[in-house]
Structures are given as C-alpha cells and as structure tokens.
Amino acid sequence: MNDVCICLFAAPNFDKSAQGLAGAGRRLAAELDGQLLAVIVGAGADALAAEVARIADTVTLADQAELAEYQPETCLNALAQLCGERSPRAVLLANDTYSQEIAPRLAYRLGGSAVGDGVEVRVEGEALRVVRQVYGGKAQAVIELKRTPAVVWLRARSFAPAAERAESGEITRAALDIQADTRTRIVERKREAGGEARLEEARVIVSGGRGIGGPEPFESELKPLAELLGAQMAASRAACDAGWVPPTWQVGQTGKKVTPELYLGIAITGASQHMAGISEAKVIAAINTDPDAPIFKHSRFGIVEDYRKVVPLLREKLAALQR
Amino acid sequence: MNILVCLKQILDPEIPARDFRVVAAKREAERGSASLVTNIFCENALETALQFRERAGGTKITVLSYGQPSAEDSLRKALAMKADAAALVVNDGNTNPDPLTVARVLAAANAKLGTFDLIMVGREAGDWGAGQTGGLLAEMLELPCVSFVDSIESVGGKLHLKRQTDTGWETLAAEPPVVVTVTNDEHNVPRIPKVRDVMMSYRQPLTQWTLDELGINADEARAGNTYYDVAELAIPQKETRCEFVSGDTLDEKVEAFARRIIEVTGAM
C-alpha cells in the first residue's frame, strides 16, 4: 500500500525521461517506505526492462500481441489492471503524449486523483503534494491530492536519475486477459522530419520566434547555426502557429518542456507561456532587438541587435573559435 | 452529427508577468485589470468543429460552459462564431473547482442537452492547465478519448482524428461517440466573429442552469475539492541578471557572444 508504481511505454532505450521517472519513483518509494514497482507496456522493451530493473524492485513487461503497439483504450485497460492489482500509494508517469493522454483516466479507474506536469512530489503527513507551474509559468502551485492512489505525470527529464542497485529487480511478463478495444484505433503514424532525435533530449537548442519573420530564415540562417553547434531546432508558439515550422518544434507551456545545457532564443520575446517550457534549461541566451524583451530577464547573457545581422557573423566567429 | 464543444472562460493569459499577482490567502490570481477571455484551446476546438461542419454539413454545434455568470460572454462569442446553441451552468461555489468536479458538472449538463457524437474540449486551460477535463469526462460518459487532436474528418461513418505526438502525428479512426481534446495548429486558428454577429448573438437564446438543477451533489460541486486542493499558490522569484555583451562594434559584440556560447558548449 506504500508502493510506488512507475508506468512506461516501450522504447528502445533508457532515455533521460525514463531515468528521471525511475529516479523520482525510487526517492518517493523511499520516503513512503515502500517498494518501487515498474510496469512497461508495449513490445520490444527487453533492453529498457533490464535497465529499469537496476533501479526498481520489480519490473513487469506487458508486451502481449494486443499491447504490442500503443492504442489508447487497450493500453489504458492494461494499465488499470496492472496498477489495480498492485494497489500502489502512487502511480508516476512521464509527460510524453501517451502518458498525458492516459493519466487522468487511469486515476479515475483506480479511484484516485491525478495531477500533471509535476516538478516535485513530496509526502506531507498523510498527503501527497505535487508542485507544478500554473498560469503559463507565471505562478507555482502546490496541489494536495485527496484520493489514493495519487497518479502523477512528471516533467520527468528534470528529475535526477537514481543510483543503480547492487542487485537487479526481478523482471516478469504479464499475461493479461484483455480484449482489444476497437472503438478507436491508430491507423497511421508519421514521424516529423528531424524528429528522430528528441528535442527533450537535446543538449543545445537553437530556437526562433515571431521576429524571425517567415519560414525561410529558419532554413537559411538558423539551421546552419544549429548544425555548427550540434544543436536541435525549436520555435515559439507564434512561429509554429504561423506554419513556418512544424508544430513538433513548439517549446512552451503547451509545447515541449526542454532541459538543454544551452537554449539560444533568437527573436523570441519570451512570453511566460514560452518561458514555462525552458525553465529547466541550464543556460538561456538571447538575441533580440528589444532590450526590454522578457526573455532577457531569464538569460545568462544576451545581445541587443537584429538577428539578421548577428547570426551570419556569429556563425563565422563560432567556426573560427571551434577550429 | 451532433457536436458538443466545452468552453472555459479564463483570465487573459497574455497579460505580462509584471502585471500578474496572486492572492496567496485565497490561492487564486488577482483579477486586476486583466480581461476575461475564452481559453485558446477551447476556441481551437470550436474552430475545428466549425470547419468540420463546413466540410461535412448536417452538423449541429452546441457550446457548453461551467463558470461564473461572466462566462456568458464566452458563449455569446461562440454563437457569434456561428455555434448553433449554447448552455451555461453557473458556478456559485469554488471559483477554481478541481478537474473531477468540472467533468462531473459537464457530464450532467451533457446528459440534459441530448446525445452527442463528438464531444470536444481544449487540451488544457491557460490558467490552471490541469489537462484533465477531457479524459475524466470520457470516463464518466464511458466513451473513448483521443487527446491533442488538431483536425477531424468524416470517413465512411468513422471519424478520422489527426493528432500531434512528441515526434510527429498520428491518425486515429474512431467510431462515434468519442471525446477529443484539441490542440492548436496553423489550421484551427479561431476565426474573428463579425461585429454584427457579436451584437446579434446577445439576442439568441442561451440555456442557463444552476448546480441544483443538474441532479448531482450540488454541495460537493460547490466545494469543488474532493479530487484535489490547491494548498499553496505563489509567484516564484527567479530572475537572472542578464549580461549584455559589450563591444564598440557589432563585430566585437558578436565575438564576445560567441565566446560566451563556447564557454557553455565547450564545458559539456
């Protein structure tokens, strides 16, 4: 009853998000004096299971045919069954698309309470409390969950990983009695070009905003700069909504929450909803014509100039310095 | 097709951070001079519904809100955007009810309004951003739910729902009835209603219910905190002092900027 159950979806490797989730789960389990249980849904996750087992007490792989590929309803049925059998005190998930889609419904089926986008989870007396940003990052709230289990999806990448244990936890395969729910079915999956490497995993990000002025400069100016820095490209909501770049590039409260070592914001004003997506970046730097642009309030260093003048010169300087 | 779009009226999220205050004791944002607007993702949902009606025809769109009496303005605007009917459940209790309460109220109002093939909500609201209403509503109505949808098409009796994922997009084939949560995309930027239509919308009928008329536990709904409570609300003090690179010429400034970048990336 004091156990913590982490839910993951099958992936080829133990990425920063999964590591953060396992780390958060391990620490919460220690605080509650319970075990850390892991559940992985989907096929092809043996390598991931082996990695998770170095942190968790037990790992359950649910990879039977009906669950091989993510389908919302079937997957939810499986997770409700798996978590239900384990009666944990808390269920933790990451903040990927599928976890966010499922978490509130999972809480409902388990009779618990959900809260999302958590940056901290703590035990206070009998209650579990979760810290999260609200009002587009302008404020921070502490939410107290009233029902059990607490189902929390986390900004997993900003949680520290846990140390590997001396002995790996046991890995078992679940054999669930589950019917495929065909009311909804994913009939097509498409990866966005450049979406191969995940923005959330990027160590350097070059990002453009409304001030870029159109799709072309992303290609002609920002892309060569990103290549030079080994960076991934991103954009503000304004640039995505204008159709200049794909929506998968969007960083902010409603886009990706990123955690790079360096976030270079170019012609981005830095509305709070955008800043909410980069609050965990180690260093923010900005190029903007307006010295009062809010992004500078969060930047370690900046330059007040037109990016059209700065970026070509910056590429030259960086190339020379890297030589 | 019968479509229900749920709308939430919120404090304008575009107000600058320097004008934003909270009343810590009440754990809510200070209204100040900010205007009240319809949550953008709810408007994206309505826009997606309107475009569906334009393509598929034979579709009725009803908009529903649970909120303060002022939420009537959000519904009137939706009517001006050409929704067909509107209903408001007036919240005379907790001004920030938890997501379970909201879903319970919407589910009850949904049942009073009729039967719907498609129920649409925004992916999250620009104020509390819980992102749970759609999922919880689907559970209460025992319907499937698809999140982060940005366009909907009717294909041979099924709905094709295109949705955004972390790495690209997916299309789901869904048998109505289904609940979807909607996200923004370049194609569902909400239309601006004509001034005349805004004026006309105030003459259109608008159904209003109190919590007591819904056949739910109204006192529990007024408390609005059986799922979760806001224990604290504060504005984090987190400002960095920005070093503006110096130099007499553009060349010198950019050189200094490049060096600062290398200091960070070189140490990685």
Side-chain angles (χ1 to χ4, degrees):
Chain A
M1 200 52 216
N2 285 324
D3 297 343
V4 175
C5 183
I6 56 172
C7 302
L8 298 109
F9 295 102
N13 44 36
F14 192 43
D15 65 11
K16 199 169 157 190
S17 168
Q19 290 175 33
L21 181 62
R26 177 42 79 198
R27 288 184 292 277
L28 183 61
E31 233 183 302
L32 291 166
D33 203 15
Q35 292 218 314
L36 177 63
L37 320 173
V39 170
I40 305 176
V41 179
D46 289 277
L48 174 64
E51 294 280 359
V52 174
R54 292 179 217 276
I55 315 275
D57 295 293
T58 70
V59 178
T60 306
L61 258 175
D63 61 353
Q64 62 200 74
E66 297 86 352
L67 301 171
E69 281 208 318
Y70 176 82
Q71 296 289 352
E73 303 305 314
T74 314
C75 220
L76 173 61
N77 290 342
L79 279 175
Q81 207 171 317
L82 288 161
C83 295
E85 285 164 3
R86 285 160 179 74
S87 334
R89 175 72 186 81
V91 176
L92 304 182
L93 301 98
N95 58 346
D96 54 279
T97 307
Y98 299 158
S99 296
Q100 288 188 51
E101 174 165 75
I102 275 187
R105 304 180 66 193
L106 182 60
Y108 188 86
R109 292 199 188 178
L110 298 173
S113 295
V115 67
D117 219 18
V119 294
E120 194 187 324
V121 185
R122 55 182 190 235
V123 184
E124 287 201 13
E126 287 298 293
L128 261 166
R129 287 188 168 191
V130 175
V131 180
R132 66 190 299 267
Q133 293 186 349
V134 293
Y135 286 95
K138 286 197 269 281
Q140 190 164 285
V142 180
I143 306 290
E144 182 166 316
L145 299 172
K146 300 292 233 354
R147 315 200 307 181
T148 299
V151 177
V152 187
W153 71 98
L154 301 169
R155 285 196 180 185
R157 278 170 197 80
S158 43
F159 285 79
E164 289 180 8
R165 291 159 357 115
E167 252 180 72
S168 278
E170 194 192 352
I171 302 175
T172 52
R173 282 200 144 71
L176 301 173
D177 179 16
I178 211 153
Q179 296 280 313
D181 183 334
T182 55
R183 289 178 299 170
T184 66
R185 199 164 56 84
I186 297 176
V187 290
E188 192 181 2
R189 285 190 162 88
K190 176 109 176 153
R191 288 183 85 91
E192 204 70 67
E196 289 303 313
R198 291 166 60 84
L199 199 50
E200 294 93 330
E201 303 286 320
R203 304 188 73 190
V204 183
I205 292 175
V206 169
S207 187
R210 191 197 302 273
I212 297 295
E216 298 83 13
F218 274 95
E219 192 63 30
S220 62
E221 298 296 330
L222 271 54
K223 193 175 168 198
L225 176 63
E227 282 168 0
L228 204 55
L229 289 167
Q232 289 208 50
M233 300 205 18
S236 70
R237 190 173 80 192
C240 293
D241 278 355
W244 299 344
V245 295
T248 44
W249 288 28
Q250 187 181 319
V251 165
Q253 174 71 23
T254 55
K256 305 271 164 71
K257 315 287 194 313
V258 297
T259 57
E261 303 284 319
L262 174 66
Y263 186 89
L264 179 54
I266 305 177
I268 292 178
T269 317
S272 60
Q273 84 81 23
H274 183 74
M275 303 315 291
I278 59 175
S279 57
E280 308 289 328
K282 194 163 276 173
V283 175
I284 297 170
I287 304 171
N288 205 295
T289 49
D290 176 8
D292 296 322
I295 194 167
F296 286 127
K297 293 203 166 59
H298 303 266
S299 295
R300 188 81 63 83
F301 55 99
I303 182 166
V304 182
E305 280 290 351
D306 186 342
Y307 86 92
R308 292 174 192 83
K309 287 194 236 164
V310 174
V311 171
L313 198 52
L314 181 60
R315 287 203 303 268
E316 271 176 43
K317 300 286 182 194
L318 286 169
L321 287 166
Q322 283 174 345
R323 211 168 283 141
Chain B
M1 277 273 289
N2 243 345
I3 302 181
L4 180 68
V5 181
C6 302
L7 304 173
K8 182 180 185 185
Q9 187 186 50
I10 61 170
L11 200 66
D12 185 357
E14 302 294 331
I15 59 165
R18 63 173 179 275
D19 296 335
F20 182 81
R21 312 256 185 289
V22 298
V23 188
K26 291 168 100 175
R27 297 180 294 280
E28 62 182 32
E30 201 177 283
R31 168 79 196 271
S33 57
S35 46
L36 297 171
V37 299
T38 308
N39 176 40
I40 180 66
F41 296 111
C42 302
E43 289 204 324
N44 294 135
L46 176 58
E47 178 61 36
T48 306
L50 291 166
Q51 290 179 17
F52 178 88
R53 187 181 64 187
E54 283 158 12
R55 280 196 308 272
T59 295
K60 183 183 175 193
I61 300 171
T62 304
V63 287
L64 167 66
S65 188
Y66 174 46
Q68 312 292 303
S70 61
E72 180 184 338
D73 293 333
S74 282
L75 293 168
R76 296 284 176 199
K77 187 181 176 196
L79 288 170
M81 287 166 77
K82 298 295 177 190
D84 299 292
L88 171 65
V89 180
V90 177
N91 177 5
D92 58 353
N94 186 341
T95 52
N96 176 32
D98 67 34
L100 191 73
T101 305
V102 175
R104 196 165 276 151
V105 169
L106 294 177
N110 163 83
K112 276 176 90 81
L113 286 166
T115 53
F116 296 94
D117 307 293
L118 178 59
I119 297 171
M120 305 173 75
V121 306
R123 60 175 282 180
E124 66 185 73
D127 51 2
W128 285 84
Q132 300 199 41
T133 303
L136 294 175
L137 185 57
E139 286 302 302
M140 289 174 190
L141 301 175
E142 297 182 358
L143 295 179
C145 180
V146 177
S147 297
F148 312 118
V149 170
D150 64 31
S151 74
I152 299 176
E153 276 187 67
S154 176
V155 180
K158 289 204 174 188
L159 293 171
H160 274 202
L161 311 168
K162 181 172 155 279
R163 66 103 155 256
Q164 297 172 18
T165 67
D166 298 316
T167 51
W169 51 266
E170 294 172 347
T171 304
L172 289 95
E175 285 168 28
V178 60
V179 177
V180 303
T181 83
V182 176
T183 192
N184 62 310
D185 157 80
E186 58 183 296
H187 303 296
N188 65 10
V189 177
R191 62 195 64 192
I192 311 286
K194 296 193 188 81
V195 176
R196 184 172 173 278
D197 289 335
V198 174
M199 281 158 45
M200 292 294 285
S201 73
Y202 281 84
R203 294 189 204 158
Q204 283 172 259
L206 188 145
T207 308
Q208 279 210 29
W209 289 309
T210 64
L211 284 170
D212 301 301
E213 291 172 279
L214 292 184
I216 55 172
N217 184 334
D219 291 335
E220 201 173 283
R222 282 190 184 93
N225 65 352
T226 55
Y227 190 66
Y228 66 50
D229 238 341
V230 180
E232 292 167 33
L233 179 68
I235 297 175
Q237 298 304 321
K238 201 173 144 190
E239 287 201 356
T240 316
R241 196 206 304 264
C242 179
E243 176 205 329
F244 289 105
V245 292
S246 56
D248 293 333
T249 62
L250 178 69
D251 192 87
E252 282 177 26
K253 279 159 79 172
V254 176
E255 168 101 23
F257 195 75
R259 285 188 184 282
R260 294 298 314 266
I261 287 178
I262 295 289
E263 277 172 31
V264 179
T265 58
M268 276 166 33

